Amino acid sequence: MDDNQLAEELRLVIGRLVRTVRAVDTMPSGEATVLGYVDRDGPLTTADVAHQWGVSHQSAARAVKDLLSQGLLHAEAHPSDGRKLLLRLTPEGSDRLAEERRRRADRLGTAITKALAPDEREALAKALSLLSRLDAHLKVK
């Protein structure tokens, strides 16, 4: 298999895996995505969220508005630009995101335990560093 075939197969498999794991989500994927960005990189503006997510400002603003109305995000004045708002997770948002992540990890962990032999789990663990290096390389480009 050449590198381009390997790349396409990897893309397909990872995409299917992510969609399968997310099937246990109890909230729309866009909302979980926004909460994840704010949790990892926050506080963020809606424009920051849109940029990281790779969507229009309007799309990000819709998800942000829904999360604010559910009490999962809190908006506060930006310290250096009064026209902007900074988004932070509320305790409820943090709890909800942790629950979504737990649900996903439980589903994937169960599959790893049931479908993979111990040596295969070890190989998968070793592959994580390779996948992380690929991700870092792609982000630099």
Side-chain angles (χ1 to χ4, degrees):
M1 179 180 303
D2 71 22
D3 287 350
N4 285 342
Q5 290 171 314
L6 178 60
E8 179 60 10
E9 195 62 28
L10 180 63
R11 186 190 68 75
L12 289 171
V13 168
I14 289 175
R16 283 193 307 260
L17 180 65
V18 167
R19 285 187 296 279
T20 300
V21 169
R22 286 187 175 165
V24 297
D25 286 358
T26 61
M27 65 188 323
S29 66
E31 290 181 12
T33 297
V34 171
L35 290 179
Y37 287 140
V38 175
D39 179 54
R40 283 186 301 277
D41 305 320
L44 300 172
T45 65
T46 300
D48 296 331
V49 170
H51 176 75
Q52 288 189 20
W53 194 7
V55 299
S56 70
H57 188 278
Q58 291 81 4
S59 293
R62 276 192 298 276
V64 165
K65 180 182 174 192
D66 289 343
L67 292 165
L68 288 166
S69 71
Q70 295 173 57
L72 302 177
L73 284 179
H74 168 74
E76 60 189 45
H78 192 285
S80 62
D81 187 342
R83 300 167 296 168
K84 296 179 182 180
L85 295 174
L86 286 178
L87 303 168
R88 294 184 189 273
L89 284 179
T90 63
E92 295 81 9
S94 183
D95 290 347
R96 182 73 185 273
L97 181 60
E99 178 61 24
E100 292 295 310
R101 287 174 172 167
R102 185 202 55 76
R103 208 178 268 108
R104 291 175 184 176
D106 284 352
R107 178 148 197 212
L108 189 53
T110 298
I112 289 168
T113 300
K114 289 182 177 181
L116 302 180
D119 61 323
E120 292 171 319
R121 290 195 295 273
E122 191 174 309
L124 181 61
K126 289 178 181 176
L128 293 177
S129 66
L130 300 177
L131 293 170
S132 291
R133 281 182 25 214
L134 285 173
D135 180 51
H137 181 78
L138 289 168
K139 287 179 179 173
V140 171
K141 298 291 175 179

